[in-house]
């Protein structure tokens, strides 16, 4: 989370500093309208800059994923950039539209236009002639983008509808690129802020076009076939084994992939619950019936059905320098740890591992498999069933692992539970970088 916050602040600061190097928010003479002109330029540059970076993040670039600690963190930054862009755009819209309303109501008197008889170059003259149309295009694109961003933030809005509607922000973005290119001061283009905006607008436009044509992640997509389905009714869990065709580059335990079994539904992210063996090219996914889509999987999925798998993604890979690790897999959050158990059984290592698995539901067959995997991997398993063993907390973990201060903690489960554990351990001296948590939310 620290990298996300630093990245967001750095983007805001860079755009602001470069803009201030080219212009000022204290024009002379300082009047309402002179300030409005300057602030409209600043807020417009800031909003389209933030939105452009958000568009670039949807490209799922591997080198960026490594630097931001996983695609889950990239999407969290994407979300915050979208929210920040929306807030700035609303302020930008109000200063533009609100001022016109106040002039119409007689609250403000619009100054006479200056620049009559001014000689303009061909390009600048053409841009000046487009201003009225660009303002209208920008206004309606803003309305569309605002609605789509708000829908993306509503958790009750179905995921498959979110996937289908969210990509249309790319259309609104392209319209806003035109709006910005026309209305940004011509003088800016010869300044550092203009160079940065040119790169961002170009890159964002490419990302938008790739989004609209369905080309995002195409180089990491592999076709596969469902080979086995195992249901655990008591847990409302379905285990799906997929045999992939050639092209999968392998994965690390703890990573995830986007899986498409129905083109109308679109791709859904699932953690991979198996170690990679190129001899059988098999991936295992464990899904829990938590929503409309996952609740219907056991009826929709059939052995022999073709699927598309895109990935792998994520940096929840258990790689660190600590001699001990504490794993916490809460509920369905046990999935990445199952993959690591299988990998560790095949390739033993010296790290001392304690795995805590708190669960509200119990299935003996699933627990027996987990115990067998833990034993084969040389991992000490701590099972806690709600209503019988009490709830897991930091005190319980520290009592079970007295050497916790020499360990790193890897958590997968409900975000609130993870944050509570993180805060508890950090207060007691755990370094923040030793607490690893997957932000497994793609919206």
């Amino acid at each position: 989370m620290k990298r996300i916050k630093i990245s967001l602040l750095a983007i805001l600061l860079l755009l602001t500093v470069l803009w201030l190097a080219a212009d000022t928010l204290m024009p002379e003479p300082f009047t309402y309208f002179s300030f409005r002109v300057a602030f409209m330029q600043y807020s417009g540059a800031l909003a389209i800059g933030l939105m452009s970076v958000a568009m670039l993040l949807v490209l799922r670039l591997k080198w960026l994923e490594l630097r931001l600690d996983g695609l889950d963190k990239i999407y969290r930054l994407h979300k915050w950039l979208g929210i920040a862009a929306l807030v700035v755009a609303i302020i930008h819209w109000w200063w533009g539209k609100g001022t016109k309303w106040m002039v119409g109501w007689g609250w403000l008197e619009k100054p006479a236009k200056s620049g009559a008889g001014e000689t303009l170059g061909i390009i600048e003259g053409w841009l000046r002639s487009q201003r009225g149309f660009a303002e209208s295009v920008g206004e309606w694109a803003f309305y569309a983008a605002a609605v789509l961003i708000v829908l993306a933030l509503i958790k009750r809005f179905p995921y498959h509808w979110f996937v289908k509607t969210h990509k249309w922000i790319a259309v609104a973005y392209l319209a806003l690129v035109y709006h910005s290119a026309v209305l940004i001061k011509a003088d800016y283009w010869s300044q550092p802020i203009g160079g940065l905006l040119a790169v961002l607008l170009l890159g964002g436009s490419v990302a938008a076009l790739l989004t609209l044509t369905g080309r995002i992640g195409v180089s990491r997509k592999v076709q596969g076939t469902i080979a086995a389905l195992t249901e655990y009714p008591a847990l409302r869990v379905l285990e799906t084994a997929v045999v992939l065709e050639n092209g999968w580059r392998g994965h690390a335990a703890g990573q995830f992939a986007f899986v498409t079994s129905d083109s109308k539904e679109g791709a859904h992210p699932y953690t991979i619950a198996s170690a990679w063996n190129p001899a059988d090219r098999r991936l295992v996914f464990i899904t829990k019936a938590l929503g409309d889509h996952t609740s219907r999987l056991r009826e929709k999925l059939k052995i022999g059905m073709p699927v598309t798998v895109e990935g792998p993604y994520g940096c929840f890979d258990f790689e660190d320098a600590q001699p001990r690790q504490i794993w916490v897999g809460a509920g369905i959050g046990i999935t990445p740890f199952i993959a690591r158990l299988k990998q560790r059984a095949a390739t033993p290592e010296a790290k001392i591992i304690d795995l805590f698995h708190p669960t509200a539901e119990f299935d003996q067959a699933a627990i027996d498999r987990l115990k067998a995997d833990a034993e084969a991997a040389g991992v000490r398993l701590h099972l806690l069933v709600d209503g019988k063993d009490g709830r897991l907390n930091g005190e319980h973990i520290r009592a079970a692992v007295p050497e916790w201060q020499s360990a790193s903690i890897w958590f997968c489960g409900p975000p609130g539970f993870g944050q509570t554990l993180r805060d508890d351990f950090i207060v007691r001296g755990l370094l923040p970088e030793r607490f690893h948590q997957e932000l497994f939310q793609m919206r």
Side-chain angles (χ1 to χ4, degrees), residues 90 155 221 370:
I90 290 173
K155 297 298 183 182
K221 291 182 179 179
L370 179 60

Side-chain angles (χ1 to χ4, degrees), residues 11 20 41 53 58 65 68 129 195 198 204-205 219 224 231 235 238 242 244-245 278 299 317 329 396 403 420 429 433:
I11 293 166
L20 287 173
Q41 288 290 322
V53 177
V58 306
E65 184 180 7
L68 288 179
S129 70
S205 297
S219 64
E231 189 177 354
L235 302 178
L238 180 67
V242 176
L244 297 179
E245 298 176 4
E299 286 88 19
D317 56 10
H396 187 124
E403 306 85 355
T420 298
E433 56 268 25

Side-chain angles (χ1 to χ4, degrees), residues 392-400 404 417 420-421 424-425 428:
L392 181 66
N393 55 31
E395 184 179 352
H396 187 124
I397 294 173
R398 289 187 290 273
W404 64 270
F417 180 29
T420 298
L421 279 182
D424 180 70
F425 273 94
R428 284 161 178 78

Side-chain angles (χ1 to χ4, degrees), residues 192-427:
I193 184 63
L196 176 61
L197 288 176
V199 171
L200 291 178
L201 294 177
L202 179 59
S205 297
V206 171
L209 292 173
L210 291 174
T211 298
L212 294 171
T213 55
R215 301 294 297 174
I216 301 294
V218 67
S219 64
R220 302 172 80 169
K221 291 182 179 179
V222 179
Q223 299 304 308
T225 304
I226 295 177
L229 295 165
T230 305
E231 189 177 354
Y232 299 93
L235 302 178
R236 296 180 294 127
V237 162
L238 180 67
E239 181 181 289
T240 306
V242 176
V243 176
L244 297 179
E245 298 176 4
N246 291 328
W248 187 256
R249 302 170 186 174
H251 64 273
Q255 291 189 296
F256 66 92
F258 290 94
V259 183
T260 304
S261 57
D262 182 351
S263 58
K264 294 181 180 179
E265 178 70 27
H268 283 255
Y270 299 118
T271 299
I272 303 169
S274 58
W276 175 241
N277 182 354
D280 64 12
R281 303 196 311 278
R282 177 177 293 232
L283 297 186
V284 174
F285 300 97
I286 298 176
T287 53
K288 185 165 185 174
L290 297 174
D292 292 342
H293 173 70
T294 49
S295 297
R296 297 193 304 266
L297 284 179
R298 62 189 184 90
E299 286 88 19
K300 296 182 69 174
L301 298 185
K302 307 294 179 185
I303 293 177
M305 177 183 289
V307 296
T308 301
V309 181
E310 178 195 334
Y313 294 105
C315 293
F316 194 80
D317 56 10
F318 304 95
E319 298 298 328
D320 65 21
Q322 301 310 118
R324 304 184 67 103
Q325 290 184 348
I326 297 170
W327 299 350
V328 182
I332 196 61
I334 193 64
T335 305
F337 303 105
I338 292 175
R340 185 64 172 184
L341 288 174
K342 295 183 181 299
Q343 180 177 317
R344 184 179 163 98
T347 310
E349 61 179 9
K351 284 184 187 292
I352 302 172
I353 311 293
D354 285 86
L355 169 58
F356 292 84
H357 177 45
T359 179
E361 296 154 330
F362 186 88
D363 183 282
Q364 190 62 55
I367 293 301
D368 288 343
R369 290 185 62 179
L370 179 60
K371 287 180 177 178
D373 286 340
E375 184 177 355
V379 169
R380 187 165 62 148
L381 176 64
H382 306 261
L383 177 66
L384 293 89
V385 180
D386 286 4
K388 176 185 175 185
D389 303 302
R391 292 187 175 274
L392 181 66
N393 55 31
E395 184 179 352
H396 187 124
I397 294 173
R398 289 187 290 273
V401 187
E403 306 85 355
W404 64 270
Q405 289 178 316
S406 64
S408 59
I409 300 177
W410 296 76
F411 175 90
C412 187
F417 180 29
Q419 188 63 45
T420 298
L421 279 182
R422 183 180 187 277
D423 293 343
D424 180 70
F425 273 94
I426 289 176
V427 164

